[in-house]
Amino acid sequence: AMRTGMDDVRAAFRHYLEHWNGGRPFLLLGHSQGAMDLWELMKEDFDDPAVSSNLVAAYLLGMAISPEDFDAHPHLKPAMGEADTGVIVSFNSEAPEAAPSPFSGPGTYGINPLNWRTDGEPASASLHLGAVFFDETGQMTEEIPEFCSTTLDTTRGALIVEPVGGGTYDAPDLFGNGVFHMNDVYFFYHNLGENARVR
């Protein structure tokens, strides 16, 4: 069921490298199925230093990547801080009491997009540069600085998100109560953009 998307992503990336990249550094960003498509691309294509040497970072958000996945593909490296390069950034946003999620679980790799740590050190909302939300036409409808605090729960394999102003951001019918999968990018929109500049 995923093969068509994976093939499209691979073809688009190879076309980009051949016709548009010109030897420049590049970033990748995918969420959920898009992240899975990029993961498959990176497993196959990024063992080649001619491709991987220009990777700044791949933001593969909203998918579960385990230590075993990295062990099986040693040319792929998890981000361990704010400024390392050639790495994969990933996390899965959940409320403190979220239902079990297909996107997290014990051992799932994650990094906190507010303090860029991989341990359980909490990050306050003062580090949050702004969440951004859009309507169904793609128009920005709301921008909220200091939107949430975060803690990476390394046991659960999830980024625990606590919106300062409360609010309902999950999709219980799709993923279960408290699973913020649909907002992994929106919640951390400006922190991700700033991190790309840092890297």
Side-chain angles (χ1 to χ4, degrees), residues 119-190:
D119 58 15
E121 182 71 23
S124 75
S126 65
L127 297 173
H128 193 283
L129 301 179
V132 175
F133 299 96
F134 300 86
D135 65 18
E136 64 278 1
T137 70
Q139 297 299 306
M140 186 188 301
T141 58
E142 195 171 17
E143 192 166 2
I144 310 173
E146 300 189 358
F147 170 76
C148 64
S149 60
T150 54
T151 305
L152 191 67
D153 185 331
T154 55
T155 301
R156 202 161 105 193
L159 180 70
I160 307 306
V161 176
E162 299 188 70
V164 172
T168 302
Y169 299 97
D170 56 1
D173 293 341
L174 285 175
F175 305 120
N177 290 315
V179 178
F180 295 142
H181 180 71
M182 301 300 289
N183 293 286
D184 288 321
V185 177
Y186 304 146
F187 280 175
F188 304 102
Y189 191 90
H190 286 303

Side-chain angles (χ1 to χ4, degrees), residues 34-49:
M36 292 181 233
D37 291 343
L38 287 173
W39 172 257
E40 292 301 315
L41 167 74
M42 295 180 75
K43 287 192 325 189
E44 295 178 13
D45 283 26
F46 280 62
D47 203 11
D48 180 357

Side-chain angles (χ1 to χ4, degrees), residues 42-129:
M42 295 180 75
K43 287 192 325 189
E44 295 178 13
D45 283 26
F46 280 62
D47 203 11
D48 180 357
V51 175
S52 61
S53 61
N54 282 333
L55 174 68
V56 177
Y59 296 84
L60 308 187
L61 311 180
M63 70 170 289
I65 308 175
S66 70
E68 291 76 21
D69 292 325
F70 285 114
D71 290 344
H73 306 283
H75 61 285
L76 303 180
K77 307 290 185 190
M80 301 306 291
E82 181 181 20
D84 45 353
T85 57
V87 294
I88 291 173
V89 170
S90 190
F91 57 80
N92 296 282
S93 307
E94 298 179 8
E97 304 301 325
S101 166
F103 310 106
S104 62
T108 299
Y109 161 74
I111 192 166
N112 190 325
L114 296 190
N115 61 15
W116 299 103
R117 296 176 65 111
T118 58
D119 58 15
E121 182 71 23
S124 75
S126 65
L127 297 173
H128 193 283
L129 301 179

